[in-house]
Amino acid sequence: IVGAAFMAIPLFAPEKSSSSNAAGVVAGAGNGHAETEGAQDDGTRRALLLPSGPQANEIEPNDRVQQALQLEVGATVSGKSRRGDNDWYVIPTAGLDNKKLIVGLRYVSGSDAYAEVFDSREKRTHQLGWVGSGAQTREADLFGQDRIYVRVATNNYDEDNAVYEVFTTLIDP
């Protein structure tokens, strides 16, 4: 009975509509705010609801920071990284100084992947670490940042491609 009750609880937020264009710009979905803002009465944070799937696919080339694909706050992109490949994304954050951005990397299949978050000066601020199942997230403070960069890569030992999703959401601190 407990298992049946658990299975009836939705784990993911419904997929939100967005679009992508040939230039690799991924449009944001909804208002970009997490469904999980705020805290519960007991002071604990609510669970982050992950999007149910990507709204766009990675477009090559995006192997260098100068080729970064634009990912809007609230959007999810699906990508594939091969051995020695780097996939770069830029997230515009101008005007969001009093917010925090959650950046996540979700494993889909293949080799393990990892992600790093960089500030607008291209200085690494966070590592999401290796993801071989499930997802990892990090909160980035947006004060004074007009953009955030995300780099996704795979290990150099495995011949398999890493299939992943990068997702973002905005929260109030």
Side-chain angles (χ1 to χ4, degrees), residues 141-152:
D141 186 3
L142 298 180
F143 185 77
Q145 301 295 319
D146 63 344
R147 65 190 170 278
I148 299 289
Y149 294 98
V150 177
R151 179 175 74 103
V152 179

Side-chain angles (χ1 to χ4, degrees), residues 17-71:
S17 63
S18 73
S19 61
S20 68
N21 63 28
V25 177
V26 180
N31 63 8
H33 289 80
E35 306 267 338
T36 60
E37 289 182 9
Q40 294 180 1
D41 291 340
D42 63 1
T44 60
R45 214 174 221 165
R46 296 181 190 135
L48 176 67
L49 294 176
L50 301 178
S52 59
Q55 292 101 8
N57 293 318
E58 166 202 22
I59 300 170
E60 292 288 351
N62 66 335
D63 298 339
R64 298 179 305 148
V65 70
Q66 296 86 355
Q67 300 169 321
L69 300 178
Q70 185 171 322
L71 179 64

Side-chain angles (χ1 to χ4, degrees), residues 55-110:
Q55 292 101 8
N57 293 318
E58 166 202 22
I59 300 170
E60 292 288 351
N62 66 335
D63 298 339
R64 298 179 305 148
V65 70
Q66 296 86 355
Q67 300 169 321
L69 300 178
Q70 185 171 322
L71 179 64
E72 296 295 327
V73 172
T76 301
V77 65
S78 175
K80 186 187 301 186
S81 183
R82 65 188 182 284
R83 184 168 70 172
D85 184 25
N86 290 301
D87 294 336
W88 284 89
Y89 301 93
V90 60
I91 304 160
T93 59
L96 301 174
D97 283 350
N98 60 346
K99 304 284 185 179
K100 288 193 180 220
L101 181 70
I102 294 179
V103 177
L105 175 67
R106 181 185 304 138
Y107 172 83
V108 176
S109 67

Side-chain angles (χ1 to χ4, degrees), residues 83-172:
R83 184 168 70 172
D85 184 25
N86 290 301
D87 294 336
W88 284 89
Y89 301 93
V90 60
I91 304 160
T93 59
L96 301 174
D97 283 350
N98 60 346
K99 304 284 185 179
K100 288 193 180 220
L101 181 70
I102 294 179
V103 177
L105 175 67
R106 181 185 304 138
Y107 172 83
V108 176
S109 67
S111 182
D112 295 354
Y114 72 91
E116 298 173 305
V117 178
F118 296 79
D119 66 14
S120 59
R121 296 183 323 259
E122 300 174 26
K123 178 182 173 190
R124 186 176 66 198
T125 58
H126 299 86
Q127 287 184 297
L128 275 70
W130 290 100
V131 178
S133 66
Q136 294 231 15
T137 62
R138 292 292 181 267
E139 287 184 12
D141 186 3
L142 298 180
F143 185 77
Q145 301 295 319
D146 63 344
R147 65 190 170 278
I148 299 289
Y149 294 98
V150 177
R151 179 175 74 103
V152 179
T154 186
N155 67 49
N156 287 323
Y157 309 107
D158 199 340
E159 294 292 328
D160 289 340
N161 290 329
V163 181
Y164 63 87
E165 293 175 0
V166 173
F167 58 91
T168 62
T169 193
L170 203 57
I171 61 171
D172 290 316

